[in-house]
Amino acid sequence: MKLTIKSVISLTILISFLCTSIPASAQGNQPFHFGFKKSKGGKLPSIAEEGFMGILQKQNAIFLGNTGQKELYLTFDNGYENGYTAKILDDLKELKVPAIFFVTGHFVKDQPELVKRMVAEGHLVGNHSWSHPDMSQVSKIQIKDELEKVRVEVEKLTGQQEMRFVRAPRGIFSDRMLGVCNELGYINVFWSIAYRDWEPKQQKGWNYAYVNVMEQLHPGAVLLLHSVSKDNAEALKKIIVDARLQGYEFKSLNQMEMKQYR
């Protein structure tokens, strides 16, 4: 089939029309997996090359604290209990370190006493969704339902009336999803220190966890640790003690003053 100049122009106009007709809502649904260039030698990590820095800035999501201060924010993801959260809480209590635990519906229902203990000992409980779905792929109503179930159940257990912080399951997010969480009164929390620690059958010893965390320390860091990790539970006390020896102070997310994106 031979294309005439007229038909080529018509086809070009049609393609242009179709491309510009994609609604903004569809563009805002593009999913991203949170990732970053790791810190080395105390230098700041970066998300500049990941393609979503503008979205996090627009939605006021947390990735870093005050990068001009040697402060650390300790966060745990609690999807389910693997026998180590009590030890983690013991060490935090002994060393007087605040943390936030992002819990799922399964954890809340399965471990009510641990959730009560978190709040009673001065920690924050954050929202990690009820059923741990990819929230970039569900509706606004479903997002609200996922988060509200967790908030209500935690309040019933602990009396914690305010739940300010949310963490996207598996670190998958979209502009729309972050915006919906904002509308519901949440601050989206990501991280600037992490390693592959969430596989119980792939534990490599406490020193492996210790080295992975300590090599990434930097001012204003938000640490992500999974409570199912035996390595994390065994390394936590030494991480805290040695970080303090380097001049770092552990703070609660409620104390975060600013963030800088790089």
Side-chain angles (χ1 to χ4, degrees), residues 11-66:
L11 183 59
T12 301
I13 292 173
L14 176 60
I15 292 172
S16 176
F17 172 78
L18 291 174
C19 289
T20 56
S21 296
I22 298 174
S25 59
Q27 296 171 17
N29 280 335
Q30 179 183 349
F32 294 93
H33 290 249
F34 185 81
F36 59 97
K37 182 179 179 181
K38 290 185 178 181
S39 167
K40 289 184 179 180
K43 295 181 180 179
L44 294 180
S46 176
I47 58 173
E49 299 175 4
E50 301 297 332
F52 51 67
M53 181 167 64
I55 293 174
L56 266 60
Q57 289 175 321
K58 170 187 172 185
Q59 300 295 352
N60 295 313
I62 290 174
F63 160 63
L64 291 171
N66 186 340

Side-chain angles (χ1 to χ4, degrees), residues 86-123:
K87 174 173 171 43
I88 289 169
L89 287 168
D90 288 343
D91 290 343
L92 295 176
K93 184 176 182 179
E94 177 185 343
L95 298 174
K96 296 180 173 58
V97 172
I100 182 169
F101 295 86
F102 288 96
V103 299
T104 62
H106 174 82
F107 192 92
V108 174
K109 285 296 189 183
D110 186 56
Q111 300 293 327
E113 295 307 312
L114 285 175
V115 176
K116 290 178 184 178
R117 184 179 169 188
M118 290 167 185
V119 174
E121 295 181 0
H123 303 295

Side-chain angles (χ1 to χ4, degrees), residues 120-163:
E121 295 181 0
H123 303 295
L124 300 175
V125 175
N127 207 318
H128 202 34
S129 79
W130 186 258
S131 61
H132 209 258
D134 175 354
M135 292 211 299
S136 72
Q137 300 300 307
V138 302
S139 69
K140 179 177 180 178
I141 292 175
Q142 289 172 298
I143 292 173
K144 181 177 180 180
D145 185 58
E146 285 281 335
L147 301 184
E148 188 65 4
K149 282 182 178 179
V150 174
R151 188 198 66 76
V152 168
E153 291 303 318
V154 170
E155 183 179 356
K156 286 179 183 177
L157 282 175
T158 69
Q160 177 183 278
Q161 296 182 345
E162 183 180 53
M163 187 172 278

Side-chain angles (χ1 to χ4, degrees), residues 185-214:
Y186 286 94
I187 298 171
N188 293 279
V189 181
F190 292 95
W191 53 89
S192 61
I193 292 180
Y195 76 103
R196 195 178 185 92
D197 66 341
W198 58 86
E199 298 172 306
K201 294 182 180 180
Q202 298 295 323
Q203 300 297 290
K204 301 180 180 181
W206 72 266
N207 192 61
Y208 180 78
Y210 173 82
V211 170
N212 267 279
V213 171
M214 297 301 290

